[in-house]
Amino acid sequence: MAGLPDRIGMTERDPLVDRAVGAISAALAALGALWTLALLALINLDVFLRWGFSSPLPAVPEFVALAITGIVFLQLANALRAGKFIKSDALSKAIIAKYPAFGRWSSVAFNLLGAALFGCIAWATIPLLAKAWTRGTFVGAVGDVTFPVWPINLLVICGSTLVAAEYLLHVFRSVRSS
């Protein structure tokens, strides 16, 4: 992880956990990018077949709906790590400029809240995964094409857990730097 931008507070002395979370989130983001390219090809093929031969691919809309959820949760942790999460930081920058200590501790509180939120998402998805696994829940048309739902639930749990870990690493970095 040496050579990562300084703007995210990383140094060569960061703990092994920090580097491991970074490596896993980067690998999952790359997988999400590849999945996005495959989805792009599938959608274009479906449109071409629909337009040129009046014969669309079966269950593409159902697969795309599942895939988008999977792709998002594969890439969330890496986006947070790189500082690319969508947020409005005008107020926090003004607070930090005027009250640096309060700004740092409000950042810690925000990061703890983010960890709790994504931890709750992971926790709430566990029963959905168990239900989808045991019942064999799927989307699509029986006799045509079906896709199991449990892999997407598993990606939501893994992605949310990784985002929660990343938020906690932000907390540790903030506390360590103050």
PDB file of all heavy atoms in Angstrom, residues 54-96:
ATOM      1  N   SER A  54     -35.476  -8.888 -33.237  1.00  0.00           N
ATOM      2  CA  SER A  54     -36.686  -8.976 -32.411  1.00  0.00           C
ATOM      3  C   SER A  54     -36.630 -10.182 -31.476  1.00  0.00           C
ATOM      4  O   SER A  54     -37.627 -10.869 -31.260  1.00  0.00           O
ATOM      5  CB  SER A  54     -37.940  -9.037 -33.281  1.00  0.00           C
ATOM      6  OG  SER A  54     -38.097  -7.849 -34.001  1.00  0.00           O
ATOM      7  N   SER A  55     -35.452 -10.451 -30.963  1.00  0.00           N
ATOM      8  CA  SER A  55     -35.243 -11.616 -30.095  1.00  0.00           C
ATOM      9  C   SER A  55     -34.318 -11.239 -28.940  1.00  0.00           C
ATOM     10  O   SER A  55     -33.127 -11.532 -28.962  1.00  0.00           O
ATOM     11  CB  SER A  55     -34.636 -12.754 -30.922  1.00  0.00           C
ATOM     12  OG  SER A  55     -34.427 -13.873 -30.111  1.00  0.00           O
ATOM     13  N   PRO A  56     -34.872 -10.591 -27.902  1.00  0.00           N
ATOM     14  CA  PRO A  56     -34.021 -10.173 -26.783  1.00  0.00           C
ATOM     15  C   PRO A  56     -33.540 -11.371 -25.964  1.00  0.00           C
ATOM     16  O   PRO A  56     -34.112 -12.455 -26.020  1.00  0.00           O
ATOM     17  CB  PRO A  56     -34.951  -9.302 -25.948  1.00  0.00           C
ATOM     18  CG  PRO A  56     -36.314  -9.818 -26.260  1.00  0.00           C
ATOM     19  CD  PRO A  56     -36.272 -10.258 -27.699  1.00  0.00           C
ATOM     20  N   LEU A  57     -32.471 -11.142 -25.234  1.00  0.00           N
ATOM     21  CA  LEU A  57     -31.979 -12.164 -24.313  1.00  0.00           C
ATOM     22  C   LEU A  57     -32.960 -12.293 -23.148  1.00  0.00           C
ATOM     23  O   LEU A  57     -33.501 -11.292 -22.679  1.00  0.00           O
ATOM     24  CB  LEU A  57     -30.594 -11.787 -23.781  1.00  0.00           C
ATOM     25  CG  LEU A  57     -29.464 -11.768 -24.791  1.00  0.00           C
ATOM     26  CD1 LEU A  57     -28.203 -11.202 -24.150  1.00  0.00           C
ATOM     27  CD2 LEU A  57     -29.201 -13.167 -25.321  1.00  0.00           C
ATOM     28  N   PRO A  58     -33.182 -13.499 -22.677  1.00  0.00           N
ATOM     29  CA  PRO A  58     -34.133 -13.671 -21.571  1.00  0.00           C
ATOM     30  C   PRO A  58     -33.559 -13.187 -20.243  1.00  0.00           C
ATOM     31  O   PRO A  58     -32.359 -13.330 -19.974  1.00  0.00           O
ATOM     32  CB  PRO A  58     -34.373 -15.183 -21.532  1.00  0.00           C
ATOM     33  CG  PRO A  58     -33.174 -15.779 -22.175  1.00  0.00           C
ATOM     34  CD  PRO A  58     -32.673 -14.772 -23.174  1.00  0.00           C
ATOM     35  N   ALA A  59     -34.401 -12.583 -19.424  1.00  0.00           N
ATOM     36  CA  ALA A  59     -34.130 -12.205 -18.033  1.00  0.00           C
ATOM     37  C   ALA A  59     -33.011 -11.184 -17.850  1.00  0.00           C
ATOM     38  O   ALA A  59     -32.456 -11.083 -16.759  1.00  0.00           O
ATOM     39  CB  ALA A  59     -33.859 -13.448 -17.190  1.00  0.00           C
ATOM     40  N   VAL A  60     -32.695 -10.423 -18.863  1.00  0.00           N
ATOM     41  CA  VAL A  60     -31.655  -9.403 -18.712  1.00  0.00           C
ATOM     42  C   VAL A  60     -32.063  -8.346 -17.677  1.00  0.00           C
ATOM     43  O   VAL A  60     -31.245  -7.988 -16.818  1.00  0.00           O
ATOM     44  CB  VAL A  60     -31.268  -8.768 -20.067  1.00  0.00           C
ATOM     45  CG1 VAL A  60     -30.415  -7.534 -19.887  1.00  0.00           C
ATOM     46  CG2 VAL A  60     -30.540  -9.796 -20.917  1.00  0.00           C
ATOM     47  N   PRO A  61     -33.304  -7.837 -17.692  1.00  0.00           N
ATOM     48  CA  PRO A  61     -33.660  -6.829 -16.676  1.00  0.00           C
ATOM     49  C   PRO A  61     -33.524  -7.361 -15.240  1.00  0.00           C
ATOM     50  O   PRO A  61     -33.058  -6.640 -14.356  1.00  0.00           O
ATOM     51  CB  PRO A  61     -35.117  -6.489 -16.989  1.00  0.00           C
ATOM     52  CG  PRO A  61     -35.275  -6.822 -18.433  1.00  0.00           C
ATOM     53  CD  PRO A  61     -34.389  -8.009 -18.672  1.00  0.00           C
ATOM     54  N   GLU A  62     -33.896  -8.601 -15.004  1.00  0.00           N
ATOM     55  CA  GLU A  62     -33.776  -9.175 -13.669  1.00  0.00           C
ATOM     56  C   GLU A  62     -32.309  -9.301 -13.261  1.00  0.00           C
ATOM     57  O   GLU A  62     -31.930  -8.988 -12.131  1.00  0.00           O
ATOM     58  CB  GLU A  62     -34.452 -10.555 -13.608  1.00  0.00           C
ATOM     59  CG  GLU A  62     -35.955 -10.516 -13.716  1.00  0.00           C
ATOM     60  CD  GLU A  62     -36.466 -10.506 -15.155  1.00  0.00           C
ATOM     61  OE1 GLU A  62     -35.652 -10.444 -16.104  1.00  0.00           O
ATOM     62  OE2 GLU A  62     -37.698 -10.547 -15.336  1.00  0.00           O
ATOM     63  N   PHE A  63     -31.484  -9.747 -14.188  1.00  0.00           N
ATOM     64  CA  PHE A  63     -30.058  -9.890 -13.896  1.00  0.00           C
ATOM     65  C   PHE A  63     -29.424  -8.528 -13.637  1.00  0.00           C
ATOM     66  O   PHE A  63     -28.610  -8.379 -12.713  1.00  0.00           O
ATOM     67  CB  PHE A  63     -29.332 -10.607 -15.036  1.00  0.00           C
ATOM     68  CG  PHE A  63     -27.875 -10.781 -14.776  1.00  0.00           C
ATOM     69  CD1 PHE A  63     -27.422 -11.697 -13.840  1.00  0.00           C
ATOM     70  CD2 PHE A  63     -26.935 -10.002 -15.440  1.00  0.00           C
ATOM     71  CE1 PHE A  63     -26.069 -11.843 -13.573  1.00  0.00           C
ATOM     72  CE2 PHE A  63     -25.578 -10.142 -15.189  1.00  0.00           C
ATOM     73  CZ  PHE A  63     -25.146 -11.069 -14.251  1.00  0.00           C
ATOM     74  N   VAL A  64     -29.781  -7.535 -14.431  1.00  0.00           N
ATOM     75  CA  VAL A  64     -29.224  -6.192 -14.255  1.00  0.00           C
ATOM     76  C   VAL A  64     -29.607  -5.635 -12.885  1.00  0.00           C
ATOM     77  O   VAL A  64     -28.770  -5.037 -12.193  1.00  0.00           O
ATOM     78  CB  VAL A  64     -29.678  -5.251 -15.397  1.00  0.00           C
ATOM     79  CG1 VAL A  64     -29.348  -3.804 -15.087  1.00  0.00           C
ATOM     80  CG2 VAL A  64     -29.041  -5.679 -16.709  1.00  0.00           C
ATOM     81  N   ALA A  65     -30.854  -5.838 -12.470  1.00  0.00           N
ATOM     82  CA  ALA A  65     -31.287  -5.345 -11.161  1.00  0.00           C
ATOM     83  C   ALA A  65     -30.461  -5.963 -10.039  1.00  0.00           C
ATOM     84  O   ALA A  65     -30.038  -5.266  -9.113  1.00  0.00           O
ATOM     85  CB  ALA A  65     -32.769  -5.645 -10.960  1.00  0.00           C
ATOM     86  N   LEU A  66     -30.213  -7.256 -10.110  1.00  0.00           N
ATOM     87  CA  LEU A  66     -29.370  -7.912  -9.107  1.00  0.00           C
ATOM     88  C   LEU A  66     -27.926  -7.428  -9.200  1.00  0.00           C
ATOM     89  O   LEU A  66     -27.277  -7.145  -8.191  1.00  0.00           O
ATOM     90  CB  LEU A  66     -29.391  -9.428  -9.292  1.00  0.00           C
ATOM     91  CG  LEU A  66     -30.603 -10.191  -8.802  1.00  0.00           C
ATOM     92  CD1 LEU A  66     -30.466 -11.665  -9.147  1.00  0.00           C
ATOM     93  CD2 LEU A  66     -30.793 -10.013  -7.312  1.00  0.00           C
ATOM     94  N   ALA A  67     -27.426  -7.327 -10.416  1.00  0.00           N
ATOM     95  CA  ALA A  67     -26.024  -6.984 -10.637  1.00  0.00           C
ATOM     96  C   ALA A  67     -25.688  -5.591 -10.116  1.00  0.00           C
ATOM     97  O   ALA A  67     -24.615  -5.388  -9.534  1.00  0.00           O
ATOM     98  CB  ALA A  67     -25.677  -7.087 -12.121  1.00  0.00           C
ATOM     99  N   ILE A  68     -26.572  -4.644 -10.299  1.00  0.00           N
ATOM    100  CA  ILE A  68     -26.290  -3.273  -9.856  1.00  0.00           C
ATOM    101  C   ILE A  68     -26.096  -3.241  -8.345  1.00  0.00           C
ATOM    102  O   ILE A  68     -25.165  -2.601  -7.838  1.00  0.00           O
ATOM    103  CB  ILE A  68     -27.393  -2.305 -10.320  1.00  0.00           C
ATOM    104  CG1 ILE A  68     -27.278  -2.102 -11.828  1.00  0.00           C
ATOM    105  CG2 ILE A  68     -27.306  -0.971  -9.586  1.00  0.00           C
ATOM    106  CD1 ILE A  68     -28.405  -1.310 -12.453  1.00  0.00           C
ATOM    107  N   THR A  69     -26.943  -3.956  -7.618  1.00  0.00           N
ATOM    108  CA  THR A  69     -26.780  -4.017  -6.163  1.00  0.00           C
ATOM    109  C   THR A  69     -25.434  -4.629  -5.801  1.00  0.00           C
ATOM    110  O   THR A  69     -24.706  -4.106  -4.949  1.00  0.00           O
ATOM    111  CB  THR A  69     -27.917  -4.839  -5.534  1.00  0.00           C
ATOM    112  OG1 THR A  69     -29.166  -4.256  -5.906  1.00  0.00           O
ATOM    113  CG2 THR A  69     -27.801  -4.880  -4.023  1.00  0.00           C
ATOM    114  N   GLY A  70     -25.083  -5.716  -6.453  1.00  0.00           N
ATOM    115  CA  GLY A  70     -23.799  -6.362  -6.187  1.00  0.00           C
ATOM    116  C   GLY A  70     -22.625  -5.456  -6.494  1.00  0.00           C
ATOM    117  O   GLY A  70     -21.675  -5.361  -5.704  1.00  0.00           O
ATOM    118  N   ILE A  71     -22.678  -4.780  -7.612  1.00  0.00           N
ATOM    119  CA  ILE A  71     -21.584  -3.891  -8.029  1.00  0.00           C
ATOM    120  C   ILE A  71     -21.402  -2.750  -7.026  1.00  0.00           C
ATOM    121  O   ILE A  71     -20.277  -2.416  -6.641  1.00  0.00           O
ATOM    122  CB  ILE A  71     -21.833  -3.353  -9.452  1.00  0.00           C
ATOM    123  CG1 ILE A  71     -21.672  -4.481 -10.472  1.00  0.00           C
ATOM    124  CG2 ILE A  71     -20.908  -2.190  -9.769  1.00  0.00           C
ATOM    125  CD1 ILE A  71     -22.203  -4.145 -11.854  1.00  0.00           C
ATOM    126  N   VAL A  72     -22.502  -2.162  -6.594  1.00  0.00           N
ATOM    127  CA  VAL A  72     -22.418  -1.052  -5.635  1.00  0.00           C
ATOM    128  C   VAL A  72     -21.727  -1.500  -4.351  1.00  0.00           C
ATOM    129  O   VAL A  72     -20.797  -0.848  -3.872  1.00  0.00           O
ATOM    130  CB  VAL A  72     -23.819  -0.472  -5.336  1.00  0.00           C
ATOM    131  CG1 VAL A  72     -23.801   0.432  -4.115  1.00  0.00           C
ATOM    132  CG2 VAL A  72     -24.339   0.294  -6.546  1.00  0.00           C
ATOM    133  N   PHE A  73     -22.153  -2.639  -3.806  1.00  0.00           N
ATOM    134  CA  PHE A  73     -21.572  -3.080  -2.544  1.00  0.00           C
ATOM    135  C   PHE A  73     -20.147  -3.608  -2.704  1.00  0.00           C
ATOM    136  O   PHE A  73     -19.391  -3.620  -1.739  1.00  0.00           O
ATOM    137  CB  PHE A  73     -22.486  -4.080  -1.840  1.00  0.00           C
ATOM    138  CG  PHE A  73     -23.589  -3.384  -1.091  1.00  0.00           C
ATOM    139  CD1 PHE A  73     -24.795  -3.111  -1.709  1.00  0.00           C
ATOM    140  CD2 PHE A  73     -23.388  -2.957   0.206  1.00  0.00           C
ATOM    141  CE1 PHE A  73     -25.797  -2.446  -1.031  1.00  0.00           C
ATOM    142  CE2 PHE A  73     -24.390  -2.287   0.898  1.00  0.00           C
ATOM    143  CZ  PHE A  73     -25.605  -2.028   0.273  1.00  0.00           C
ATOM    144  N   LEU A  74     -19.766  -4.010  -3.899  1.00  0.00           N
ATOM    145  CA  LEU A  74     -18.369  -4.381  -4.133  1.00  0.00           C
ATOM    146  C   LEU A  74     -17.460  -3.151  -4.111  1.00  0.00           C
ATOM    147  O   LEU A  74     -16.295  -3.246  -3.745  1.00  0.00           O
ATOM    148  CB  LEU A  74     -18.217  -5.083  -5.488  1.00  0.00           C
ATOM    149  CG  LEU A  74     -18.637  -6.540  -5.568  1.00  0.00           C
ATOM    150  CD1 LEU A  74     -18.605  -7.028  -7.016  1.00  0.00           C
ATOM    151  CD2 LEU A  74     -17.753  -7.419  -4.701  1.00  0.00           C
ATOM    152  N   GLN A  75     -17.982  -2.001  -4.505  1.00  0.00           N
ATOM    153  CA  GLN A  75     -17.130  -0.824  -4.678  1.00  0.00           C
ATOM    154  C   GLN A  75     -17.225   0.219  -3.568  1.00  0.00           C
ATOM    155  O   GLN A  75     -16.430   1.158  -3.538  1.00  0.00           O
ATOM    156  CB  GLN A  75     -17.433  -0.185  -6.027  1.00  0.00           C
ATOM    157  CG  GLN A  75     -17.091  -1.113  -7.177  1.00  0.00           C
ATOM    158  CD  GLN A  75     -17.237  -0.475  -8.534  1.00  0.00           C
ATOM    159  OE1 GLN A  75     -18.045   0.415  -8.727  1.00  0.00           O
ATOM    160  NE2 GLN A  75     -16.443  -0.935  -9.475  1.00  0.00           N
ATOM    161  N   LEU A  76     -18.156   0.065  -2.641  1.00  0.00           N
ATOM    162  CA  LEU A  76     -18.352   1.077  -1.599  1.00  0.00           C
ATOM    163  C   LEU A  76     -17.119   1.310  -0.721  1.00  0.00           C
ATOM    164  O   LEU A  76     -16.743   2.459  -0.475  1.00  0.00           O
ATOM    165  CB  LEU A  76     -19.529   0.695  -0.705  1.00  0.00           C
ATOM    166  CG  LEU A  76     -20.917   1.036  -1.220  1.00  0.00           C
ATOM    167  CD1 LEU A  76     -21.975   0.499  -0.269  1.00  0.00           C
ATOM    168  CD2 LEU A  76     -21.089   2.517  -1.422  1.00  0.00           C
ATOM    169  N   ALA A  77     -16.511   0.255  -0.226  1.00  0.00           N
ATOM    170  CA  ALA A  77     -15.381   0.418   0.702  1.00  0.00           C
ATOM    171  C   ALA A  77     -14.207   1.125   0.040  1.00  0.00           C
ATOM    172  O   ALA A  77     -13.565   1.988   0.647  1.00  0.00           O
ATOM    173  CB  ALA A  77     -14.947  -0.942   1.250  1.00  0.00           C
ATOM    174  N   ASN A  78     -13.931   0.784  -1.204  1.00  0.00           N
ATOM    175  CA  ASN A  78     -12.826   1.435  -1.903  1.00  0.00           C
ATOM    176  C   ASN A  78     -13.130   2.909  -2.158  1.00  0.00           C
ATOM    177  O   ASN A  78     -12.239   3.756  -2.082  1.00  0.00           O
ATOM    178  CB  ASN A  78     -12.530   0.704  -3.215  1.00  0.00           C
ATOM    179  CG  ASN A  78     -11.192   1.090  -3.779  1.00  0.00           C
ATOM    180  OD1 ASN A  78     -10.172   0.970  -3.125  1.00  0.00           O
ATOM    181  ND2 ASN A  78     -11.197   1.559  -5.017  1.00  0.00           N
ATOM    182  N   ALA A  79     -14.388   3.221  -2.449  1.00  0.00           N
ATOM    183  CA  ALA A  79     -14.772   4.621  -2.641  1.00  0.00           C
ATOM    184  C   ALA A  79     -14.580   5.417  -1.352  1.00  0.00           C
ATOM    185  O   ALA A  79     -14.060   6.536  -1.378  1.00  0.00           O
ATOM    186  CB  ALA A  79     -16.224   4.716  -3.106  1.00  0.00           C
ATOM    187  N   LEU A  80     -14.957   4.836  -0.226  1.00  0.00           N
ATOM    188  CA  LEU A  80     -14.765   5.508   1.055  1.00  0.00           C
ATOM    189  C   LEU A  80     -13.280   5.688   1.351  1.00  0.00           C
ATOM    190  O   LEU A  80     -12.839   6.760   1.759  1.00  0.00           O
ATOM    191  CB  LEU A  80     -15.437   4.707   2.180  1.00  0.00           C
ATOM    192  CG  LEU A  80     -15.267   5.271   3.585  1.00  0.00           C
ATOM    193  CD1 LEU A  80     -15.854   6.668   3.688  1.00  0.00           C
ATOM    194  CD2 LEU A  80     -15.907   4.336   4.596  1.00  0.00           C
ATOM    195  N   ARG A  81     -12.512   4.663   1.115  1.00  0.00           N
ATOM    196  CA  ARG A  81     -11.062   4.716   1.377  1.00  0.00           C
ATOM    197  C   ARG A  81     -10.391   5.804   0.541  1.00  0.00           C
ATOM    198  O   ARG A  81      -9.491   6.496   1.009  1.00  0.00           O
ATOM    199  CB  ARG A  81     -10.437   3.362   1.081  1.00  0.00           C
ATOM    200  CG  ARG A  81      -8.975   3.270   1.455  1.00  0.00           C
ATOM    201  CD  ARG A  81      -8.485   1.835   1.288  1.00  0.00           C
ATOM    202  NE  ARG A  81      -7.235   1.634   1.947  1.00  0.00           N
ATOM    203  CZ  ARG A  81      -7.073   1.363   3.234  1.00  0.00           C
ATOM    204  NH1 ARG A  81      -8.107   1.253   4.008  1.00  0.00           N
ATOM    205  NH2 ARG A  81      -5.879   1.202   3.747  1.00  0.00           N
ATOM    206  N   ALA A  82     -10.825   5.958  -0.695  1.00  0.00           N
ATOM    207  CA  ALA A  82     -10.218   6.943  -1.589  1.00  0.00           C
ATOM    208  C   ALA A  82     -10.787   8.347  -1.402  1.00  0.00           C
ATOM    209  O   ALA A  82     -10.390   9.274  -2.099  1.00  0.00           O
ATOM    210  CB  ALA A  82     -10.413   6.498  -3.040  1.00  0.00           C
ATOM    211  N   GLY A  83     -11.727   8.509  -0.467  1.00  0.00           N
ATOM    212  CA  GLY A  83     -12.329   9.823  -0.238  1.00  0.00           C
ATOM    213  C   GLY A  83     -13.307  10.221  -1.324  1.00  0.00           C
ATOM    214  O   GLY A  83     -13.529  11.404  -1.559  1.00  0.00           O
ATOM    215  N   LYS A  84     -13.920   9.242  -1.981  1.00  0.00           N
ATOM    216  CA  LYS A  84     -14.829   9.516  -3.094  1.00  0.00           C
ATOM    217  C   LYS A  84     -16.299   9.315  -2.728  1.00  0.00           C
ATOM    218  O   LYS A  84     -17.153   9.311  -3.600  1.00  0.00           O
ATOM    219  CB  LYS A  84     -14.496   8.607  -4.293  1.00  0.00           C
ATOM    220  CG  LYS A  84     -13.087   8.765  -4.800  1.00  0.00           C
ATOM    221  CD  LYS A  84     -12.877  10.104  -5.417  1.00  0.00           C
ATOM    222  CE  LYS A  84     -11.480  10.193  -5.994  1.00  0.00           C
ATOM    223  NZ  LYS A  84     -11.170  11.510  -6.478  1.00  0.00           N
ATOM    224  N   PHE A  85     -16.596   9.110  -1.437  1.00  0.00           N
ATOM    225  CA  PHE A  85     -17.992   9.012  -1.018  1.00  0.00           C
ATOM    226  C   PHE A  85     -18.641  10.372  -1.245  1.00  0.00           C
ATOM    227  O   PHE A  85     -18.035  11.412  -1.002  1.00  0.00           O
ATOM    228  CB  PHE A  85     -18.054   8.669   0.472  1.00  0.00           C
ATOM    229  CG  PHE A  85     -18.625   7.317   0.771  1.00  0.00           C
ATOM    230  CD1 PHE A  85     -18.415   6.238  -0.051  1.00  0.00           C
ATOM    231  CD2 PHE A  85     -19.366   7.121   1.916  1.00  0.00           C
ATOM    232  CE1 PHE A  85     -18.924   4.997   0.248  1.00  0.00           C
ATOM    233  CE2 PHE A  85     -19.877   5.884   2.226  1.00  0.00           C
ATOM    234  CZ  PHE A  85     -19.662   4.820   1.392  1.00  0.00           C
ATOM    235  N   ILE A  86     -19.870  10.366  -1.671  1.00  0.00           N
ATOM    236  CA  ILE A  86     -20.583  11.619  -1.878  1.00  0.00           C
ATOM    237  C   ILE A  86     -20.954  12.191  -0.518  1.00  0.00           C
ATOM    238  O   ILE A  86     -21.569  11.516   0.304  1.00  0.00           O
ATOM    239  CB  ILE A  86     -21.858  11.404  -2.723  1.00  0.00           C
ATOM    240  CG1 ILE A  86     -21.481  10.925  -4.119  1.00  0.00           C
ATOM    241  CG2 ILE A  86     -22.677  12.680  -2.782  1.00  0.00           C
ATOM    242  CD1 ILE A  86     -22.660  10.534  -4.968  1.00  0.00           C
ATOM    243  N   LYS A  87     -20.536  13.426  -0.291  1.00  0.00           N
ATOM    244  CA  LYS A  87     -20.877  14.090   0.955  1.00  0.00           C
ATOM    245  C   LYS A  87     -20.753  15.591   0.762  1.00  0.00           C
ATOM    246  O   LYS A  87     -20.051  16.071  -0.124  1.00  0.00           O
ATOM    247  CB  LYS A  87     -19.980  13.629   2.099  1.00  0.00           C
ATOM    248  CG  LYS A  87     -18.518  13.997   1.927  1.00  0.00           C
ATOM    249  CD  LYS A  87     -17.694  13.518   3.089  1.00  0.00           C
ATOM    250  CE  LYS A  87     -16.242  13.900   2.866  1.00  0.00           C
ATOM    251  NZ  LYS A  87     -15.409  13.541   3.992  1.00  0.00           N
ATOM    252  N   SER A  88     -21.437  16.306   1.605  1.00  0.00           N
ATOM    253  CA  SER A  88     -21.324  17.754   1.617  1.00  0.00           C
ATOM    254  C   SER A  88     -20.446  18.117   2.804  1.00  0.00           C
ATOM    255  O   SER A  88     -20.823  17.904   3.950  1.00  0.00           O
ATOM    256  CB  SER A  88     -22.705  18.392   1.747  1.00  0.00           C
ATOM    257  OG  SER A  88     -22.559  19.782   1.873  1.00  0.00           O
ATOM    258  N   ASP A  89     -19.279  18.641   2.515  1.00  0.00           N
ATOM    259  CA  ASP A  89     -18.344  18.926   3.596  1.00  0.00           C
ATOM    260  C   ASP A  89     -18.106  20.417   3.818  1.00  0.00           C
ATOM    261  O   ASP A  89     -17.172  20.799   4.512  1.00  0.00           O
ATOM    262  CB  ASP A  89     -17.024  18.196   3.371  1.00  0.00           C
ATOM    263  CG  ASP A  89     -16.357  18.555   2.059  1.00  0.00           C
ATOM    264  OD1 ASP A  89     -16.944  19.319   1.285  1.00  0.00           O
ATOM    265  OD2 ASP A  89     -15.256  18.052   1.815  1.00  0.00           O
ATOM    266  N   ALA A  90     -18.964  21.254   3.269  1.00  0.00           N
ATOM    267  CA  ALA A  90     -18.788  22.698   3.456  1.00  0.00           C
ATOM    268  C   ALA A  90     -18.897  23.065   4.929  1.00  0.00           C
ATOM    269  O   ALA A  90     -18.076  23.833   5.453  1.00  0.00           O
ATOM    270  CB  ALA A  90     -19.816  23.468   2.631  1.00  0.00           C
ATOM    271  N   LEU A  91     -19.891  22.517   5.623  1.00  0.00           N
ATOM    272  CA  LEU A  91     -20.070  22.828   7.037  1.00  0.00           C
ATOM    273  C   LEU A  91     -18.916  22.278   7.862  1.00  0.00           C
ATOM    274  O   LEU A  91     -18.373  22.981   8.722  1.00  0.00           O
ATOM    275  CB  LEU A  91     -21.408  22.257   7.542  1.00  0.00           C
ATOM    276  CG  LEU A  91     -21.723  22.499   9.016  1.00  0.00           C
ATOM    277  CD1 LEU A  91     -21.810  23.998   9.312  1.00  0.00           C
ATOM    278  CD2 LEU A  91     -23.027  21.809   9.399  1.00  0.00           C
ATOM    279  N   SER A  92     -18.513  21.043   7.595  1.00  0.00           N
ATOM    280  CA  SER A  92     -17.425  20.463   8.386  1.00  0.00           C
ATOM    281  C   SER A  92     -16.109  21.214   8.163  1.00  0.00           C
ATOM    282  O   SER A  92     -15.328  21.384   9.095  1.00  0.00           O
ATOM    283  CB  SER A  92     -17.259  18.973   8.087  1.00  0.00           C
ATOM    284  OG  SER A  92     -16.868  18.766   6.761  1.00  0.00           O
ATOM    285  N   LYS A  93     -15.866  21.668   6.935  1.00  0.00           N
ATOM    286  CA  LYS A  93     -14.638  22.448   6.687  1.00  0.00           C
ATOM    287  C   LYS A  93     -14.668  23.772   7.447  1.00  0.00           C
ATOM    288  O   LYS A  93     -13.651  24.207   7.985  1.00  0.00           O
ATOM    289  CB  LYS A  93     -14.468  22.701   5.189  1.00  0.00           C
ATOM    290  CG  LYS A  93     -13.965  21.503   4.433  1.00  0.00           C
ATOM    291  CD  LYS A  93     -13.745  21.833   2.965  1.00  0.00           C
ATOM    292  CE  LYS A  93     -13.205  20.632   2.230  1.00  0.00           C
ATOM    293  NZ  LYS A  93     -12.989  20.907   0.811  1.00  0.00           N
ATOM    294  N   ALA A  94     -15.834  24.412   7.495  1.00  0.00           N
ATOM    295  CA  ALA A  94     -15.952  25.668   8.224  1.00  0.00           C
ATOM    296  C   ALA A  94     -15.749  25.446   9.725  1.00  0.00           C
ATOM    297  O   ALA A  94     -15.075  26.239  10.396  1.00  0.00           O
ATOM    298  CB  ALA A  94     -17.316  26.305   7.972  1.00  0.00           C
ATOM    299  N   ILE A  95     -16.303  24.355  10.251  1.00  0.00           N
ATOM    300  CA  ILE A  95     -16.141  24.051  11.679  1.00  0.00           C
ATOM    301  C   ILE A  95     -14.683  23.751  11.986  1.00  0.00           C
ATOM    302  O   ILE A  95     -14.131  24.249  12.982  1.00  0.00           O
ATOM    303  CB  ILE A  95     -17.055  22.871  12.087  1.00  0.00           C
ATOM    304  CG1 ILE A  95     -18.521  23.309  12.045  1.00  0.00           C
ATOM    305  CG2 ILE A  95     -16.689  22.360  13.476  1.00  0.00           C
ATOM    306  CD1 ILE A  95     -19.505  22.181  12.242  1.00  0.00           C
ATOM    307  N   ILE A  96     -14.039  22.938  11.150  1.00  0.00           N
ATOM    308  CA  ILE A  96     -12.634  22.588  11.372  1.00  0.00           C
ATOM    309  C   ILE A  96     -11.749  23.830  11.316  1.00  0.00           C
ATOM    310  O   ILE A  96     -10.804  23.970  12.099  1.00  0.00           O
ATOM    311  CB  ILE A  96     -12.175  21.518  10.363  1.00  0.00           C
ATOM    312  CG1 ILE A  96     -12.832  20.175  10.712  1.00  0.00           C
ATOM    313  CG2 ILE A  96     -10.664  21.371  10.343  1.00  0.00           C
ATOM    314  CD1 ILE A  96     -12.629  19.096   9.680  1.00  0.00           C
TER     315      ILE A  96
END
